Amino acid sequence: TARRAHVVLPAAALPEKEGTVTSTERRVQLVRPALSPPGEARSDLWILAQLFAHLGGGEVAVDPEQVFAELAHLVPSYAGMSYQRLAEGGLQWPCPHPEHPGTAILHQEGFPRGRGRFFPVPYRPPVEEPDEEYPFTLLTGRVLYHYHCGSQTRRTQELATQQNAPFVEINPEAAQRLGLQEGDAVWMASRRGRIRARVKLSQRVRPEELFMAFHYAEAPVNRLTLSERDPEARIPELKACAVRLEPEVQK
């Protein structure tokens, strides 16, 4: 993406910046730089302030502590937090006043709007179901060692040695029926395309199912899936489609 940009701004990396980070358990922690940014690299905050000024917004403070103080002033859940308190250890929001210890567990006494509300909806089958031509349901997802497209995690040798090649999980019963063995090269095809992978025998999938991760650019599994969207959430149906397996013909 940088090659497509007209201007590339050299942002400092995480160990080179000061600020705070809020984790998914609501814990706010203070981050101090371990290194100075190299060359012309600057913090994201500095870059945003410069952009704001060049766009006519005027000079603004670029001190991370001032920014956090403004955040605490505007967001009630952070109101009791400050750099001084965070320097002593992380705090979990809500932390509404300076004497508050933070909230380790949310909703101990109940939920703000009461109990959960359930809304029944009519069952709607998948857009595409298996048939004689495409007898398997392909399920897609992740593996432990990679993240989404895998373009960065696969650059890490420790992760790459764990899992660095596309595979399709197939139940041993289905594999025997097709004459496939562990490690065999196969083509997996749907009505939209086909990709190549290696067989991995697995009891985790049923005989009528297959599983494949979407981390591999050399086997982009979403070439096989559908773009039809759920009418409510507008999410494409990328998790299941009908496919068949074709053993790779040895030349």
Side-chain angles (χ1 to χ4, degrees):
T1 54
R3 293 191 189 100
R4 295 178 176 271
H6 293 90
V7 177
V8 177
L9 303 172
L14 180 61
E16 302 160 358
K17 293 188 287 191
E18 177 184 340
T20 63
V21 61
T22 303
S23 73
T24 51
E25 66 161 354
R26 300 169 287 104
R27 188 178 302 279
V28 184
Q29 294 175 283
L30 190 61
V31 176
R32 295 293 193 188
L35 302 166
S36 297
E40 296 182 75
R42 299 289 185 271
S43 71
D44 302 306
L45 179 58
W46 186 90
I47 290 171
L48 288 171
Q50 292 296 307
L51 285 172
F52 184 76
H54 280 286
L55 292 171
E59 297 293 328
V60 293
V62 293
D63 179 64
E65 185 172 357
Q66 287 179 269
V67 173
F68 186 79
E70 182 178 1
L71 171 67
H73 175 71
L74 295 172
V75 181
S77 291
Y78 286 71
M81 299 185 194
S82 65
Y83 259 42
Q84 289 71 32
R85 291 195 70 190
L86 294 177
E88 300 171 6
L91 290 167
Q92 289 171 278
W93 63 261
C95 182
H97 56 78
E99 289 73 40
H100 196 282
T103 305
I105 303 173
L106 279 178
H107 312 310
Q108 290 195 71
E109 306 301 326
F111 297 96
R113 73 170 201 177
R115 298 192 176 197
R117 301 173 185 175
F118 290 86
F119 301 90
V121 294
Y123 170 73
R124 193 169 69 93
V127 173
E128 190 173 81
E129 296 187 287
D131 56 22
E132 289 187 10
E133 187 178 3
Y134 298 94
F136 291 100
T137 295
L138 169 65
L139 309 174
T140 70
R142 300 169 174 82
V143 296
L144 175 63
Y145 306 103
H146 297 300
Y147 183 77
H148 287 297
C149 64
S151 60
Q152 297 302 319
T153 51
R154 290 182 72 194
R155 296 171 185 262
T156 303
Q157 186 62 33
E158 290 79 3
L159 299 177
T161 54
Q162 294 293 327
Q163 185 62 61
N164 201 34
F167 64 90
V168 53
E169 287 190 12
I170 180 171
N171 186 279
E173 178 186 321
Q176 185 178 23
R177 190 171 67 245
L178 295 173
L180 297 173
Q181 298 180 354
E182 180 83 17
D184 282 354
V186 292
W187 289 95
M188 184 162 51
S190 75
R191 292 176 174 84
R192 289 154 295 280
R194 68 178 193 154
I195 57 176
R196 183 182 182 273
R198 294 278 177 180
V199 166
K200 182 176 182 180
L201 301 181
S202 173
Q203 295 285 357
R204 300 195 307 167
V205 291
R206 297 184 296 183
E208 65 274 18
E209 295 174 346
L210 304 171
F211 171 82
M212 189 167 182
F214 49 65
H215 306 297
Y216 305 100
E218 64 270 39
V221 72
N222 281 337
R223 277 189 187 161
L224 310 184
T225 55
L226 300 110
S227 59
E228 279 78 2
R229 299 183 181 185
D230 175 89
E232 301 296 332
R234 310 302 298 164
I235 297 171
E237 198 163 297
L238 300 176
K239 293 297 182 184
C241 68
V243 298
R244 66 170 178 257
L245 288 182
E246 305 166 353
E248 185 174 66
V249 178
Q250 300 295 328
K251 296 183 179 180

